[in-house]
Amino acid sequence: MAPINETFEYDLVVIGGGSGGLACAKEAVGHGAKVAVLDFVKPSPRGTKWGLGGTCVNVGCIPKKLMHQASILGEGIHEAQAYGWNVSPEQATINWPALVEAVQNHIKSVNWVTRVDLRDKKVEYVNGMGYFKDAHNVVAVLKNGTERVLNTKHVVIAVGGRPRYPHIPGALEYGITSDDIFSMPTPPGKTVVVGAGYIGLECAGFLKGFGYDVTVMVRSIVLRGFDQQMADIVSSAMVEKGINFLHKTVPTSVEKNSEGRLVVKYRNAEGQEGAEECDTVLFAIGRTALTEDLKLENADVKYNDDNKKIPVNEREETNVDGIYAVGDVLDGRPELTPVAILAGRLLARRLLASGTDLMDYSDVATTVFTPLEYGCVGMSEETAVKEFGEENVEVFHAYYKPTEFFIPQKSVRYCYLKSVALREGDQKVVGLHYVGPVAGEVIQGFAAAVKSGLTMKILMNTVGIHPTTAEEFTRLNITKRSGVDPTPATCCS
């Protein structure tokens, strides 16, 4: 099919070959557009680089979930003996190089499939660093240093972000980030994780599951942006697993001692100083949007000076006609792969197929893959109280006991869930929160229910699947306001 607008070389150029950019590009060619995708990965300070597909595929969701699964399997070996399996937990140790090889082989296969998919769909892939010459001309700096100008009607910025390093001595020289952990050739050993967001906690969780000593350094609070009661439960469950937390603490330097080990010096909120000797320092203190190399000023595109992110309106439009942005580069939007994918598809439909649907950024479900997982959708309890007033919010909650935990006598102390609802009428549910096994699988279905206007009346009249942990949402009937103990007596009544 001929290009939609013959006055431009391309109908759409996408800068960034991650989830959001690729989804937008593939949707666009499906509607007859001529599309090019620019993608280039700068090596991390430790020299790590990867192929096409963006953060999620290469150094995010996919390798993280695979390593989390490896950790769960290790725990399962210890539990299997209680169930009658003739296994020897004492011999169960992680082969780090073998794990890394398996994970990286899968990633490389995804990289290859992604390139083949672009070719089959007639999306032009340009392995080059993109920047703006002006609003309708994007320059691709190719690997050999030559430049190529792509003239286009529309531009979508989907460059995502990369981890930040703290401005302390030794951080860049000795530290790593999530960009590096999944492909490290040697075992990480004793690890200090600096940062207590979801990335830091997830990495700390699977490393401890592999048998490595882990310390998490928390500057302010755990899981900022999430429900804080649930965040405290998650971190307490990690402490129970043997993960050490240093609260209200920031690193001041990273050094290498005479034995070749790293020493992280730190200071807490009271001014007390200390040091932690380790083999690996992993920084997980946040991410910065990759906008500095785009030369946005050439196209007059505005961005946030603090985090380098780009503000857009409800149509993902920047301040410049014809220039849009999707994914983690957006200011004030959830940094989640499925969000970027759907936003990219909807944007392409509006640009090229008379689509009218806008991306709904509310009630987006997510899961933190810590050893005891945390899934949630909708508002935190704090946000609901702030928006509606404490007197207008009812919180239903319960502890529960997963059936599969009984025989190996696993701790059920932190298996907990709650529903944040409005008090009026049928009590509309505005937030669901769950800590326990397979949280992502549990919360996904309930996310659709919340988007559809779920009420406590409906939830309480839904028959659960027994015995499952997801069923516990249908059994919620005790409110925090009542003061009644939310601990169940039995599982079947």
Side-chain angles (χ1 to χ4, degrees):
M1 186 178 292
I4 292 171
N5 193 316
E6 296 286 0
T7 62
F8 295 95
E9 182 185 0
Y10 294 91
D11 300 300
L12 174 65
V13 167
V14 178
I15 308 177
S19 301
L22 293 177
C24 184
K26 289 189 284 187
E27 182 72 27
V29 295
H31 298 294
K34 184 179 180 183
V35 181
V37 171
L38 279 61
D39 188 63
F40 185 85
V41 179
K42 279 189 173 181
S44 74
R46 293 296 293 269
T48 307
K49 55 185 178 180
W50 51 86
L52 180 65
T55 296
C56 176
V57 166
N58 294 282
V59 289
C61 323
I62 301 304
K64 176 270 301 289
K65 184 70 183 295
L66 293 173
M67 289 202 168
H68 175 63
Q69 176 65 13
S71 177
I72 290 173
L73 288 172
E75 187 173 0
I77 292 171
H78 291 78
E79 295 170 18
Q81 196 171 46
Y83 275 101
W85 284 95
N86 293 318
V87 295
S88 176
E90 294 75 19
Q91 296 178 355
T93 57
I94 192 71
N95 182 332
W96 176 266
L99 170 63
V100 168
E101 183 180 8
V103 169
Q104 291 303 313
N105 284 344
H106 173 70
I107 291 170
K108 288 180 175 62
S109 72
V110 177
N111 296 150
W112 172 252
V113 168
T114 302
R115 292 191 65 168
V116 171
D117 191 37
L118 291 184
R119 184 190 65 198
D120 291 346
K121 288 182 166 60
K122 303 297 188 292
V123 176
E124 183 180 348
Y125 165 55
V126 180
N127 185 202
M129 175 74 74
Y131 71 86
F132 283 95
K133 182 178 180 181
D134 55 47
H136 291 287
N137 289 282
V138 174
V139 180
V141 182
L142 306 180
K143 293 174 72 173
N144 61 8
T146 62
E147 295 188 348
R148 175 187 166 193
V149 179
L150 291 82
N151 175 253
T152 179
K153 181 178 182 181
H154 301 292
V155 180
V156 171
I157 302 169
V159 293
R162 294 285 287 271
R164 289 192 291 111
Y165 279 81
H167 298 295
I168 60 172
L172 283 170
E173 185 177 0
Y174 300 118
I176 67 168
T177 68
S178 56
D179 279 357
D180 311 293
I181 187 67
F182 305 112
S183 58
M184 281 181 63
T186 56
K190 183 179 179 181
T191 302
V192 171
V193 176
V194 181
Y198 73 92
I199 295 173
L201 296 192
E202 289 173 338
C203 291
F206 65 66
L207 290 176
K208 181 61 181 178
F210 299 151
Y212 305 120
D213 288 337
V214 181
T215 295
V216 177
M217 202 171 286
V218 187
R219 179 178 63 87
S220 53
I221 61 175
V222 174
L223 291 178
R224 179 180 298 278
F226 290 86
D227 186 285
Q228 282 303 289
Q229 180 195 8
M230 308 306 285
D232 289 342
I233 289 172
V234 168
S235 60
S236 296
M238 294 178 71
V239 170
E240 187 179 68
K241 291 282 188 183
I243 297 171
N244 182 40
F245 280 76
L246 295 175
H247 291 279
K248 305 294 183 183
T249 302
V250 294
T252 54
S253 68
V254 182
E255 303 171 359
K256 183 173 283 190
N257 64 19
S258 57
E259 287 79 37
R261 301 193 79 203
L262 300 180
V263 178
V264 184
K265 294 184 177 180
Y266 59 83
R267 182 185 301 112
N268 65 21
E270 284 72 45
Q272 298 171 323
E273 296 185 344
E276 188 88 9
E277 187 176 290
C278 62
D279 302 297
T280 300
V281 180
L282 192 156
F283 293 109
I285 60 172
R287 299 173 66 84
T288 302
L290 287 173
T291 50
E292 287 189 323
D293 293 320
L294 294 178
K295 298 186 181 180
L296 294 173
E297 63 278 4
N298 290 349
D300 296 321
V301 176
K302 294 180 180 178
Y303 62 95
N304 186 320
D305 287 331
D306 294 330
N307 58 18
K308 310 304 179 185
K309 293 191 173 188
I310 298 173
V312 296
N313 62 15
E314 73 282 358
R315 300 178 63 83
E316 283 75 48
E317 297 169 334
T318 69
N319 62 297
V320 178
D321 288 344
I323 301 179
Y324 312 82
V326 296
D328 291 3
V329 76
L330 297 185
D331 196 18
R333 299 287 198 270
E335 296 184 11
L336 296 167
T337 295
V339 170
I341 291 171
L342 182 54
R345 287 174 179 163
L346 293 176
L347 173 59
R349 290 169 195 168
R350 292 196 303 272
L351 293 180
L352 301 157
S354 302
T356 58
D357 290 342
L358 301 177
M359 178 63 194
D360 182 0
Y361 290 96
S362 64
D363 294 332
V364 173
T366 191
T367 291
V368 182
F369 291 98
T370 38
L372 197 59
E373 299 171 5
Y374 167 38
C376 60
V377 60
M379 293 183 180
S380 66
E381 185 176 342
E382 298 95 331
T383 301
V385 168
K386 183 177 180 180
E387 181 159 334
F388 301 110
E390 187 172 3
E391 70 282 0
N392 297 315
V393 174
E394 197 76 273
V395 178
F396 295 81
H397 68 147
Y399 287 93
Y400 65 95
K401 301 174 182 179
T403 304
E404 57 270 33
F405 281 24
F406 286 131
I407 288 179
Q409 297 183 26
K410 290 182 66 174
S411 171
V412 297
R413 183 178 179 186
Y414 300 107
C415 293
Y416 175 83
L417 74 165
K418 67 180 178 181
S419 173
V420 182
L422 303 182
R423 293 189 74 189
E424 62 182 11
D426 290 340
Q427 299 181 299
K428 181 181 179 181
V429 175
V430 297
L432 290 176
H433 301 265
Y434 166 99
V435 171
V438 292
E441 309 299 339
V442 168
I443 211 69
Q444 181 66 82
F446 286 106
V450 170
K451 294 283 283 187
S452 301
L454 179 67
T455 65
M456 285 307 299
K457 182 178 179 180
I458 292 172
L459 193 58
M460 289 177 174
N461 282 285
T462 298
V463 177
I465 301 170
H466 189 65
T468 66
T469 54
E471 171 194 24
E472 300 299 331
F473 274 118
T474 71
R475 292 156 54 95
L476 287 173
N477 61 80
I478 296 173
T479 66
K480 282 189 175 183
R481 195 183 305 273
S482 72
V484 174
D485 184 1
T487 306
T490 69
C491 70
C492 301
S493 65

